[in-house]
Amino acid sequence: HVQLVESGGGWMQPGGSLRLSCAASTTILGPTVMSWYRQAPGKRRELVASITGRGTINYADSVQGRFTISGAIGKDAFHLQMNNLTPEDTAVYYCSVSLIAGEYWGQGTQVTVSS
């Protein structure tokens, strides 16, 4: 069982940056996908970015060029650097790790972008 805890959320004005971190209770090993999702009020949870254990990265079109996911096998944390934030990025952000043993989620961290 893997526990995940997000940190780094908060309030930021448009154009600013935040860095989210996802700390795992154990080292992430084996075939895996590390992901960040977000859910805005009244909307479905959506994939923001993911990175596989082999380093394959995928971004949602809405964050391409602004957000950067980083992480690697053998580490116990991964991150999401968010630049040039807009009010549309306001949401609860969740990290997730998919392993052979199952899929694990954090509790979420609120990101609010407003002036």
Side-chain angles (χ1 to χ4, degrees):
H1 184 74
V2 179
Q3 293 180 322
L4 303 175
V5 179
E6 301 95 339
S7 62
W11 174 83
M12 179 53 63
Q13 59 188 5
S17 299
L18 287 172
R19 177 178 168 86
L20 303 183
S21 294
C22 180
S25 57
T26 185
T27 301
I28 299 171
L29 298 172
T32 184
V33 181
M34 295 167 277
S35 305
W36 287 95
Y37 287 78
R38 67 186 181 187
Q39 187 168 19
K43 295 188 177 181
R44 288 185 173 184
R45 189 173 297 189
E46 63 173 350
L47 177 66
V48 175
S50 64
I51 182 169
T52 70
R54 293 191 174 191
T56 301
I57 293 175
N58 179 53
Y59 293 105
D61 289 344
S62 59
V63 307
Q64 182 77 44
R66 301 188 297 120
F67 290 12
T68 303
I69 189 172
S70 60
I73 295 291
K75 304 291 186 182
D76 59 2
F78 60 103
H79 311 278
L80 184 69
Q81 177 67 40
M82 306 186 296
N83 298 330
N84 194 21
L85 287 161
T86 74
E88 289 68 37
D89 296 316
T90 295
V92 178
Y93 284 71
Y94 299 89
C95 64
S96 172
V97 172
S98 294
L99 302 169
I100 292 176
E103 187 173 35
Y104 303 93
W105 292 83
Q107 292 299 307
T109 186
Q110 176 70 46
V111 170
T112 302
V113 184
S114 71
S115 54

